[in-house]
Amino acid sequence: GSRTVVASHWPVPDDFGATQRLISGLFDPNAKAVGEAMQTAAERLMDDAETSHPYYWSAFAIVGDAARPVQ
Protein backbone atom coordinates (compact mmCIF):
# COMPACT_ATOMS: atom_id res chain seq x y z
CA GLY A 1 0.00 0.00 0.00
CA SER A 2 2.96 2.35 -0.23
CA ARG A 3 2.53 5.37 -2.48
CA THR A 4 6.23 6.20 -2.55
CA VAL A 5 9.39 4.09 -2.79
CA VAL A 6 13.01 5.23 -2.74
CA ALA A 7 15.06 2.97 -4.98
CA SER A 8 18.73 2.75 -5.89
CA HIS A 9 19.78 2.17 -9.49
CA TRP A 10 23.11 0.63 -8.44
CA PRO A 11 24.80 -0.58 -5.24
CA VAL A 12 26.25 2.42 -3.45
CA PRO A 13 28.88 1.79 -0.78
CA ASP A 14 28.48 3.89 2.32
CA ASP A 15 31.77 5.75 1.99
CA PHE A 16 31.78 8.93 4.07
CA GLY A 17 28.33 8.01 5.41
CA ALA A 18 26.80 9.35 2.19
CA THR A 19 23.91 6.90 1.94
CA GLN A 20 23.04 7.30 5.61
CA ARG A 21 23.12 11.10 5.27
CA LEU A 22 20.94 11.02 2.16
CA ILE A 23 18.30 8.67 3.57
CA SER A 24 18.31 10.41 6.97
CA GLY A 25 17.62 13.64 5.11
CA LEU A 26 14.29 12.20 3.94
CA PHE A 27 13.04 12.55 7.50
CA ASP A 28 13.81 16.27 7.76
CA PRO A 29 10.95 17.77 9.79
CA ASN A 30 11.30 21.06 7.88
CA ALA A 31 10.65 19.44 4.48
CA LYS A 32 7.13 19.68 3.14
CA ALA A 33 7.44 16.64 0.86
CA VAL A 34 9.69 13.63 0.32
CA GLY A 35 10.89 15.03 -3.03
CA GLU A 36 11.94 18.29 -1.40
CA ALA A 37 13.69 16.39 1.40
CA MET A 38 15.57 14.21 -1.11
CA GLN A 39 16.65 17.25 -3.11
CA THR A 40 17.91 19.06 -0.02
CA ALA A 41 19.77 15.97 1.23
CA ALA A 42 21.38 15.45 -2.20
CA GLU A 43 22.42 19.12 -2.35
CA ARG A 44 24.14 18.74 1.02
CA LEU A 45 26.13 15.83 -0.38
CA MET A 46 26.96 17.84 -3.51
CA ASP A 47 28.29 20.67 -1.35
CA ASP A 48 30.66 18.32 0.51
CA ALA A 49 33.96 17.77 -1.33
CA GLU A 50 34.10 14.10 -0.24
CA THR A 51 30.64 13.27 -1.62
CA SER A 52 30.19 15.79 -4.42
CA HIS A 53 30.63 13.19 -7.19
CA PRO A 54 27.25 11.99 -8.54
CA TYR A 55 28.26 8.43 -7.62
CA TYR A 56 27.28 9.19 -4.02
CA TRP A 57 23.89 10.84 -4.52
CA SER A 58 22.50 10.23 -8.02
CA ALA A 59 21.79 6.50 -7.68
CA PHE A 60 18.63 7.15 -5.70
CA ALA A 61 15.23 7.88 -7.20
CA ILE A 62 11.78 8.43 -5.83
CA VAL A 63 9.14 6.26 -7.47
CA GLY A 64 5.60 7.35 -6.80
CA ASP A 65 4.23 10.44 -5.11
CA ALA A 66 7.16 12.73 -4.24
CA ALA A 67 4.80 15.51 -3.14
CA ARG A 68 3.66 13.66 -0.01
CA PRO A 69 5.38 14.25 3.32
CA VAL A 70 7.27 11.40 4.98
CA GLN A 71 5.22 10.08 7.86
Side-chain angles (χ1 to χ4, degrees), residues 4 9 11-12 17-18 20-21 26 29 34-35 37 45-46 50 53 56 58 62 65 70:
T4 308
H9 293 286
V12 181
Q20 178 185 2
R21 290 165 44 200
L26 292 176
V34 68
L45 292 176
M46 290 178 217
E50 292 181 322
H53 192 280
Y56 293 104
S58 67
I62 296 172
D65 188 357
V70 174

Side-chain angles (χ1 to χ4, degrees), residues 20-71:
Q20 178 185 2
R21 290 165 44 200
L22 184 77
I23 300 303
S24 294
L26 292 176
F27 300 96
D28 180 354
N30 298 318
K32 294 178 182 169
V34 68
E36 176 186 337
M38 174 78 86
Q39 179 178 352
T40 301
E43 288 171 354
R44 286 187 189 128
L45 292 176
M46 290 178 217
D47 290 340
D48 184 336
E50 292 181 322
T51 57
S52 63
H53 192 280
Y55 175 74
Y56 293 104
W57 49 266
S58 67
F60 298 93
I62 296 172
V63 180
D65 188 357
R68 294 180 57 97
V70 174
Q71 298 176 345

